[in-house]
Amino acid sequence: MKKLGFILLSLSLMIGLLPANQGKTSGVFSDVEADYWAYDMIVTLADEGVIKGYEDQTFKPHRDVTRGQAAMLIGRAMDIDTSNRPDPGFSDVNKETSGYEYIAALTDEGVFVKADKFNPGASLKRDQMAKVLVETFELTGLSNQQFDDVPETHWAHDYISTLLANEVTTGKTPERFDPVGSVNRTQMAVFLYRVLGMDGYESEPSGDDSNIVDEAMTKAVLDGINAERNAAGLKPLSTDQSVQKVANLKAFDMMENNYFDHYSPTYGSVFHMLDNEGVTRVAAGENIAAGQQSAKAVVEAWMNSQGHKDNILHQSYTHVGVGYAEGGEYGSYYVLVFIGK
């Protein structure tokens, strides 16, 4: 059943707007709605017994994962034998500590390094997450992608590179991984889902007839946004084949995988997608929308939203890709990918 109305999101290096929550909850957790971008991954792992919620039937998707919780999640994902494990020897961990049996087992297996303290209540950091997942699941390979905040001398450089090579995670931006940033519960669920091989990742959607681009619609949208730029005294945006490809991929990905978000569970962020296509730029941004019935309606909706309007009239942008996919829960999905050269 298609949803009524429409929704919008804009993204740039400076702008981010979030839509109002809508849709039904998962039935597993009261705060995970069926149209949440990570819904399928969270529910699948819950069904498998890997992740669990709180006593009030919530998942709290944006709450940080603690080191103790991470031990439980990874231990359940491995289905690790926790019997007859020696005391891990941490001064802040005892048999009454939540997750003790998994902390002990993973320390015994060498996943966690023996030290004075384990800090079970501390938030798990992104560099720590990289090390634990690589060592636990014996991942191999290195990526060519480099981050400004993860030099080769960083202790977790190779672990992070291996996660990238295995398409388990992407950076916060193409230039930053944020190694000391915290991992939240949704992110941890997605990482585990991917590392367990549940993702079925494809570099591009299958080339069936459902992915044929409606060139008339994309041209009408392009004409509409360039008319707005002309009225504001700005140069029109040119098309770019690689940027157009990214926009099309994102539109069909949202439609086929039933989500609405700047972050794609298939491809990552638009910045990552542009990097994968080898698109060089000095600026980039993204507008997305769903549910509008015409090019005129979607352009008007974007122009009536300040964040989207700012992207369309951004003086630094020189090129755009226009994506459109028909079908899915909202009936229509629109994507603008902007770059400045």
Side-chain angles (χ1 to χ4, degrees), residues 110-185:
V111 173
F112 294 130
V113 177
K114 292 185 177 181
D116 177 45
K117 292 185 177 182
F118 181 75
N119 298 313
S123 296
L124 180 72
K125 305 303 181 184
R126 288 169 60 85
D127 52 6
Q128 297 170 342
M129 173 273 299
K131 174 182 183 294
V132 170
L133 291 182
V134 168
E135 294 198 345
T136 300
F137 297 98
E138 299 179 349
L139 302 178
T140 60
L142 295 173
S143 170
N144 292 326
Q145 183 175 350
Q146 298 293 324
F147 294 111
D148 293 344
D149 56 354
V150 187
E152 292 186 1
T153 54
H154 191 287
W155 72 267
H157 175 275
D158 287 357
Y159 293 119
I160 293 167
S161 184
T162 298
L163 278 195
L164 286 167
N166 286 270
E167 297 171 343
V168 174
T169 187
T170 61
K172 289 290 186 71
T173 73
E175 293 79 27
R176 293 181 61 253
F177 180 75
D178 189 20
V180 296
S182 300
V183 180
N184 68 35
R185 288 170 59 80

Side-chain angles (χ1 to χ4, degrees), residues 8 213-230 236-239 244 247-248 251 287-290 292-303 308 312 320-325 332-338:
L8 304 168
V213 177
D214 186 335
E215 294 183 359
M217 177 64 82
T218 58
K219 183 180 184 303
V221 173
L222 176 63
D223 289 346
I225 62 173
N226 274 335
E228 296 292 345
R229 288 178 65 87
N230 181 65
L237 297 173
S238 302
T239 57
Q244 181 64 41
N248 286 333
N287 280 4
I288 59 177
Q292 293 81 4
Q293 299 302 306
S294 67
K296 180 181 179 181
V298 74
V299 172
E300 287 181 352
W302 278 327
M303 292 302 293
H308 304 86
I312 290 172
V320 68
V322 182
Y324 172 74
S332 57
Y333 295 81
Y334 303 83
V335 176
L336 296 179
V337 177
F338 306 92

Side-chain angles (χ1 to χ4, degrees), residues 6-328:
F6 59 84
I7 48 179
L8 304 168
L9 268 177
S10 71
L11 171 71
S12 73
L13 294 180
M14 300 169 285
I15 300 169
L17 299 179
L18 296 175
N21 289 334
Q22 52 186 306
K24 296 180 179 179
T25 57
S26 67
V28 179
F29 303 114
S30 62
D31 57 350
V32 178
E33 297 180 347
D35 56 0
Y36 184 48
W37 70 271
Y39 167 84
D40 287 340
M41 290 172 271
I42 292 170
V43 172
T44 297
L45 290 174
D47 289 343
E48 294 293 327
V50 174
I51 61 177
K52 298 180 180 180
Y54 291 84
E55 291 183 357
D56 61 359
Q57 303 303 309
T58 61
F59 179 68
K60 304 189 189 310
H62 303 298
R63 177 172 290 186
D64 287 354
V65 172
T66 68
R67 287 169 53 85
Q69 291 170 340
M72 290 187 280
L73 291 168
I74 292 168
R76 293 187 199 121
M78 293 178 64
D79 195 22
I80 194 169
D81 183 1
T82 61
S83 60
N84 300 316
R85 299 288 187 169
D87 189 297
F90 299 112
S91 63
D92 55 354
V93 173
N94 57 51
K95 292 185 178 180
E96 302 302 317
T97 302
S98 179
Y100 169 83
E101 65 273 30
Y102 292 109
I103 296 171
L106 291 170
T107 303
D108 191 32
E109 294 290 336
V111 173
F112 294 130
V113 177
K114 292 185 177 181
D116 177 45
K117 292 185 177 182
F118 181 75
N119 298 313
S123 296
L124 180 72
K125 305 303 181 184
R126 288 169 60 85
D127 52 6
Q128 297 170 342
M129 173 273 299
K131 174 182 183 294
V132 170
L133 291 182
V134 168
E135 294 198 345
T136 300
F137 297 98
E138 299 179 349
L139 302 178
T140 60
L142 295 173
S143 170
N144 292 326
Q145 183 175 350
Q146 298 293 324
F147 294 111
D148 293 344
D149 56 354
V150 187
E152 292 186 1
T153 54
H154 191 287
W155 72 267
H157 175 275
D158 287 357
Y159 293 119
I160 293 167
S161 184
T162 298
L163 278 195
L164 286 167
N166 286 270
E167 297 171 343
V168 174
T169 187
T170 61
K172 289 290 186 71
T173 73
E175 293 79 27
R176 293 181 61 253
F177 180 75
D178 189 20
V180 296
S182 300
V183 180
N184 68 35
R185 288 170 59 80
T186 290
Q187 291 167 342
M188 193 67 188
V190 172
F191 298 150
L192 286 173
Y193 184 91
R194 291 174 178 164
V195 82
L196 290 170
M198 298 176 177
D199 200 15
Y201 180 94
E202 295 178 356
S203 59
E204 297 183 21
S206 57
D208 58 21
D209 289 344
S210 65
N211 285 354
I212 295 175
V213 177
D214 186 335
E215 294 183 359
M217 177 64 82
T218 58
K219 183 180 184 303
V221 173
L222 176 63
D223 289 346
I225 62 173
N226 274 335
E228 296 292 345
R229 288 178 65 87
N230 181 65
L234 299 171
K235 292 181 179 180
L237 297 173
S238 302
T239 57
D240 179 284
Q241 184 176 357
S242 295
V243 179
Q244 181 64 41
K245 179 180 179 181
V246 168
N248 286 333
L249 287 174
K250 179 62 178 290
F252 280 101
D253 188 51
M254 288 195 296
M255 183 269 289
E256 292 173 342
N257 293 308
N258 193 31
Y259 74 96
F260 183 81
D261 199 277
H262 284 301
Y263 187 89
S264 162
T266 308
Y267 304 109
S269 72
V270 68
F271 310 116
H272 189 210
M273 295 176 74
L274 290 168
D275 284 346
N276 286 342
E277 294 300 322
V279 177
T280 58
R281 71 276 180 190
V282 296
E286 179 184 60
N287 280 4
I288 59 177
Q292 293 81 4
Q293 299 302 306
S294 67
K296 180 181 179 181
V298 74
V299 172
E300 287 181 352
W302 278 327
M303 292 302 293
N304 287 327
S305 170
Q306 191 61 51
H308 304 86
K309 180 179 179 179
D310 289 347
N311 270 349
I312 290 172
L313 302 182
H314 202 303
Q315 295 186 25
S316 298
Y317 293 149
T318 57
H319 293 74
V320 68
V322 182
Y324 172 74
E326 186 173 345

